[in-house]
Amino acid sequence: MAAGAGGLVAAAAALLLALAGPRPVPAELTDGNSEHLKREHSLMKPYQGAGSAAMPLWDFTGSTMVTSQYVRLTPDERSREGSIWNRVPCFLKDWELHVHFKIHGAGKKNLHGDGLALWYTQERLTPGPVFGSKDNFHGLAIFLDTYPNDEATERVFPYISAMVNNGSLSYDHSKDGRWTELAGCSADLRNQNHDTFLAVRYSRGRLTVMTDVEDKNEWKNCIDIAGVQLPTGYFFGASAGTGDLSDNHDIISMKLFQLMVEHPVEDETVDWTKIEPRVSLLKSPKDNVDDPTGNFRSGPLTGWKVFLLLLCALLGIIVCAVVGAVVFQKRQERNKRFY
């Protein structure tokens, strides 16, 4: 009886593996192929109009200073904020942004802040409390947060997180944006003596964020979310802010690449400039429960998650059936002894 049950379990597992298909793997990022580089959305050395406001494709505001080697959003001084924004709206449905940055300063452990943000939003050049830019924005933000405001947090800082907003959500600095975060990871990106990079890829509703901050010349997975909808016609930008604590927040380059991706025929009828930024979550981000691992979201069911749920359910049914059969057989043997 036990051997038969084991065979049933093995067969069921094999069947479910075939139905679920291969396990999804992290999206591969581009190698920076210049063929698909969109110069109108890229910021690279030598910066045109360095040290002045005469940059043809980019505007900057606040404490931002453009030098020949970097764009410094904030100096290592208290209560500063600055940003730089592309003037040209992006109408690509699939893109990948490579950012070469540096966050550094004189502050020691937990005595530096506040961090840097990368944006793809409807609004631009609007100062505000969220790392030097406005709250209740429309679009996507990637936060590189260097200071833990929530003393009860079990996260390791610096911490990278993603947020999609349709204008209705407010970023809560006191909780380090935990209630509106989609996903995140820790990354040792501050005061490094080597180059540090971050890549943001958006393609067919999938948002992927990867880092190269360990001087290994390889991308490391940080965030991978499906079910993301972002309109076209928004603007790319970067901002940073300091408070009682400070850091230098530098952008060395921002390079945008067009991804050559096929879309379903029905996508051709969609006005991508009119869709609302959103993520297909099982529940509202405000309902998320804190998790010591640093993952504060409940994402959409992927094929692999569906497979695991089905496997657990099937195994439960098989175990119940085996136990029932054993109990039934024991009762039959007991009844035979009375005849």
Side-chain angles (χ1 to χ4, degrees), residues 96-317:
E96 185 172 295
L97 180 68
H98 291 193
V99 182
H100 183 188
F101 68 95
K102 187 174 183 64
I103 300 176
H104 58 108
K108 303 302 181 182
K109 184 178 181 180
N110 291 339
L111 292 176
H112 52 266
D114 285 325
L116 183 150
L118 303 172
W119 305 92
Y120 175 68
T121 56
Q122 184 180 55
E123 306 86 359
R124 61 187 294 273
L125 281 175
T126 309
V130 185
F131 299 95
S133 195
K134 81 180 296 290
D135 203 354
N136 299 99
F137 58 90
H138 293 76
L140 168 70
I142 306 296
F143 302 121
L144 286 66
D145 194 348
T146 58
Y147 181 77
N149 292 287
D150 184 1
E151 296 180 356
T153 186
E154 295 187 37
R155 293 177 180 177
V156 177
F157 280 70
Y159 188 82
I160 301 172
S161 64
M163 177 180 174
V164 171
N165 198 353
N166 62 2
S168 66
L169 300 176
S170 180
Y171 182 86
D172 186 356
H173 266 291
S174 66
K175 294 295 182 181
D176 301 309
R178 184 163 61 248
W179 311 125
T180 50
E181 174 196 327
L182 297 173
C185 72
S186 298
D188 189 10
L189 49 80
R190 183 181 176 272
N191 269 357
Q192 296 290 0
N193 293 322
H194 51 262
D195 290 334
T196 49
F197 301 88
L198 184 138
V200 184
R201 178 189 179 102
Y202 176 67
S203 180
R204 297 189 66 174
R206 184 177 178 185
L207 177 67
T208 308
V209 178
M210 302 191 87
T211 61
D212 178 5
V213 298
E214 299 176 354
D215 201 23
K216 295 182 179 179
N217 196 32
E218 62 182 28
W219 293 113
K220 182 178 180 181
N221 191 45
C222 175
I223 296 170
D224 196 355
I225 309 169
V228 178
Q229 286 196 5
L230 296 175
T232 59
Y234 281 13
F235 297 90
F236 288 102
S239 70
T242 65
D244 292 336
L245 302 173
S246 62
D247 256 338
N248 297 300
H249 297 93
D250 300 341
I251 298 290
I252 291 92
S253 69
M254 296 174 67
K255 299 179 181 179
L256 189 78
F257 300 91
Q258 180 178 9
L259 301 178
M260 310 309 291
V261 177
E262 291 186 4
H263 282 260
V265 178
E266 54 267 24
D267 283 1
E268 297 179 2
T269 63
V270 177
D271 185 350
W272 292 91
T273 64
K274 296 295 197 311
I275 67 173
E276 184 179 81
R278 70 183 185 90
V279 181
S280 301
L281 291 170
L282 293 179
K283 57 185 179 179
S284 167
K286 291 186 177 181
D287 297 330
N288 290 349
V289 178
D290 200 347
D291 183 334
T293 63
N295 185 5
F296 301 92
R297 73 182 182 94
S298 186
L301 286 177
T302 63
W304 186 245
K305 291 180 182 178
V306 171
F307 160 69
L308 290 177
L309 289 174
L310 289 174
L311 179 60
C312 292
L314 186 57
L315 288 176
I317 293 172

Side-chain angles (χ1 to χ4, degrees), residues 45-65:
K45 293 187 288 188
Y47 313 116
Q48 295 185 21
S52 70
M55 298 180 71
L57 297 174
W58 295 82
D59 291 317
F60 56 92
T61 187
S63 61
T64 303
M65 179 179 64

